[in-house]
Amino acid sequence: MNEVKTEGMRERTRRIVRTELTQVAQDLFVKNGYEATTVDQIAAAAGLSRRTFFRYFASKEDLLIGKYDLLEERMVESLKARPLDEPLWDSLRRIFDIGVNYFSNTERAEAIENTVRSSPALYARYLERFSRLQASLAETVCQRSNYAPDSPEPRAIVGAAFACLTAAQEAWYKSNKTKDLATLLDEAMASLRIQSG
Amino acid sequence: MNEVKTEGMRERTRRIVRTELTQVAQDLFVKNGYEATTVDQIAAAAGLSRRTFFRYFASKEDLLIGKYDLLEERMVESLKARPLDEPLWDSLRRIFDIGVNYFSNTERAEAIENTVRSSPALYARYLERFSRLQASLAETVCQRSNYAPDSPEPRAIVGAAFACLTAAQEAWYKSNKTKDLATLLDEAMASLRIQSG
DNA sequence: GTCAATATCGACACCAAGTGTCAAATATGG
DNA sequence: CCATATTTGACACTTGGTGTCGATATTGAC
């Protein structure tokens, strides 16, 4: 009991500081831009030293990109929960509902997505994060089905699905969110016909 | 005549220094690793100052990532040269021959690809470069066909094709290049069936 | 060949992102 | 309350990248 409480204490304060830090940082990013905001400014605004900032986040980029760790967990879990006889393309469409909800519900998520797209260097890390996410999902696909472990197909199909998600998201932004993201995604994913289950 | 010669002089010496720099740098990358090699070391090995290095390349990453500018030009040109009535998926497969030849012919290209994959930060820039390349091609597709300019389809299809290329390349590396890259790409692209022309 | 305009280079100073270290402060468990 | 482990801040340092400025070639015209 004691152990749980003290462990929880440490963990909790750490989580609180982390969210406070992202909060403060995101405000600065929106006000002054991502590149123009220094880690010193973020640390000062949150009332701690720069060195301590780097004990909470490995890098300035990690402040925002780290958010997608949760998305990966949830998507992988969601994929594992899909019935094995469901066509893979349909399974992927279903687990993208997580992303669709994340993007279209939260107004905070939109601010982050805007910030990420405002800096090529940050966007690059974003793409790398999603590349790893795709690798995770492809790996899960391999474990669940009987693809050869060295077959390019799982990676290709998962990557193609993400291309649809990205394309739909971009079209959604371009329409100033007048269109429905889920519909755009359906449209994009329907334009590719998957052969294998 | 004079103008052409003098202009050519400047341009040529610049090109020579650039290739010399990439040569020297790549050797250092292979020997000591990308991250462990500093710009000072590269500049010293090439016999010029660090400041001058940054007059030839905007960044250390640009040394390698800049190589793909030529790939983009050639792919866009190649796409424009495809017949308009050819199915888009087939056109994309054809222009990927440029990439296939680049990857599988040159032994220098392989060393660069290995270096790029050795550093997450560098690989992130690589992905961002290819993201822009895909945007270029999708834009070209829009101009050549009658897709609505805000439709997600061109981006989705181009992105899906690149997912196949990436997956094939990865499978190729995993097989230690015993399999044929072009065949792997055919295999990957055949597992997605495209509906629209 | 000489000379003025121009581009290039090196040296120096500077900024921002990270990282290692160590001593002080603070929380934890008994 | 006390011994111990953790967190923190201060400091110094490395690396990538940029602005500036005087010295040094290069170029084009005469």
Side-chain angles (χ1 to χ4, degrees):
Chain A
M1 197 83 92
N2 249 350
E3 279 180 10
V4 175
K5 192 176 182 180
T6 56
E7 267 304 304
M9 257 315 210
R10 287 253 162 89
E11 281 292 314
R12 205 176 62 197
T13 55
R14 185 172 173 82
R15 258 200 15 248
I16 291 175
V17 173
R18 279 177 70 101
T19 54
E20 166 75 6
L21 228 24
T22 41
Q23 209 92 325
V24 163
Q26 179 60 24
D27 289 347
L28 286 172
F29 292 159
V30 169
K31 202 195 306 179
N32 307 326
Y34 174 79
E35 312 264 17
T37 305
T38 74
V39 173
D40 292 77
Q41 287 167 4
I42 299 168
L48 38 75
S49 76
R50 195 184 63 189
R51 190 66 186 85
T52 299
F53 171 91
F54 283 112
R55 289 191 179 104
Y56 282 92
F57 292 98
S59 71
K60 185 179 157 189
E61 288 156 352
D62 195 42
L63 251 191
L64 298 177
I65 304 302
K67 295 286 174 197
Y68 299 102
D69 288 357
L70 184 62
L71 191 66
E72 171 167 336
E73 278 177 41
R74 282 204 266 179
M75 280 193 173
V76 170
E77 278 317 299
S78 178
L79 177 58
K80 284 179 180 167
R82 301 306 306 175
L84 270 170
D85 59 344
E86 184 180 52
L88 177 53
W89 199 245
D90 296 340
S91 300
L92 290 168
R93 175 61 190 87
R94 286 279 74 77
I95 73 172
F96 282 175
D97 281 333
I98 298 171
V100 168
N101 285 332
Y102 172 73
F103 292 142
S104 50
N105 277 355
T106 333
E107 71 292 341
R108 189 150 214 96
E110 194 203 346
I112 292 179
E113 293 285 317
N114 284 339
T115 303
V116 166
R117 280 164 180 72
S118 75
S119 154
L122 183 59
Y123 186 58
R125 298 309 292 234
Y126 172 87
L127 292 174
E128 193 257 348
R129 184 67 192 85
F130 271 78
S131 164
R132 270 160 41 219
L133 172 49
Q134 289 173 45
S136 265
L137 288 173
E139 178 62 22
T140 306
V141 168
C142 276
Q143 287 168 4
R144 281 162 46 92
S145 65
N146 37 16
Y147 280 114
D150 55 344
S151 165
E153 281 198 29
R155 291 288 299 241
I157 295 173
V158 170
F162 270 86
C164 293
L165 180 58
T166 302
Q169 198 187 359
E170 197 209 338
W172 185 54
Y173 284 134
K174 272 189 185 167
S175 80
N176 281 329
K177 297 160 69 177
T178 54
K179 299 190 181 178
D180 182 46
L181 177 55
T183 306
L184 284 164
L185 178 56
D186 286 333
E187 196 182 323
M189 288 188 78
S191 66
L192 301 174
R193 278 284 145 80
I194 293 303
Q195 167 176 277
S196 50
Chain B
M1 199 84 92
N2 247 350
E3 279 181 8
V4 175
K5 192 175 182 182
T6 57
E7 267 302 304
M9 256 320 209
R10 285 255 163 88
E11 281 292 314
R12 204 175 62 196
T13 55
R14 185 172 173 83
R15 257 200 16 247
I16 289 174
V17 173
R18 278 177 70 101
T19 54
E20 166 76 5
L21 228 24
T22 40
Q23 210 92 323
V24 163
Q26 179 60 24
D27 289 348
L28 287 172
F29 293 159
V30 169
K31 202 194 306 179
N32 307 327
Y34 175 79
E35 313 263 17
T37 305
T38 73
V39 174
D40 292 77
Q41 287 167 4
I42 300 168
L48 38 76
S49 75
R50 196 183 62 185
R51 191 63 186 87
T52 299
F53 170 91
F54 283 113
R55 288 190 179 105
Y56 282 91
F57 293 98
S59 70
K60 184 180 157 188
E61 288 156 352
D62 194 42
L63 202 49
L64 297 177
I65 304 302
K67 295 287 174 196
Y68 299 103
D69 288 358
L70 184 62
L71 192 66
E72 171 166 336
E73 279 176 40
R74 283 203 266 179
M75 281 193 173
V76 170
E77 279 317 300
S78 177
L79 177 57
K80 284 180 181 168
R82 301 307 306 174
L84 271 169
D85 59 343
E86 184 180 54
L88 176 54
W89 199 245
D90 296 340
S91 300
L92 290 168
R93 175 61 189 86
R94 286 280 72 79
I95 73 171
F96 283 174
D97 281 333
I98 298 172
V100 169
N101 285 332
Y102 172 73
F103 292 142
S104 50
N105 277 354
T106 334
E107 71 292 343
R108 190 150 213 94
E110 194 203 346
I112 292 179
E113 294 284 318
N114 283 339
T115 303
V116 165
R117 279 165 180 71
S118 76
S119 154
L122 184 58
Y123 186 59
R125 298 309 292 235
Y126 173 87
L127 292 174
E128 194 257 349
R129 185 66 193 85
F130 271 78
S131 165
R132 270 159 40 219
L133 171 49
Q134 288 174 44
S136 266
L137 288 174
E139 177 62 23
T140 306
V141 168
C142 275
Q143 287 168 4
R144 281 163 46 91
S145 65
N146 38 16
Y147 280 113
D150 55 343
S151 166
E153 282 198 28
R155 292 287 300 239
I157 295 173
V158 170
F162 269 87
C164 293
L165 179 58
T166 302
Q169 198 187 359
E170 198 209 338
W172 185 55
Y173 284 133
K174 272 190 186 169
S175 80
N176 280 330
K177 297 160 70 177
T178 55
K179 298 190 182 179
D180 182 46
L181 178 54
T183 307
L184 284 164
L185 178 55
D186 286 332
E187 198 182 321
M189 288 187 79
S191 66
L192 301 173
R193 279 282 147 78
I194 293 304
Q195 166 176 278
S196 50

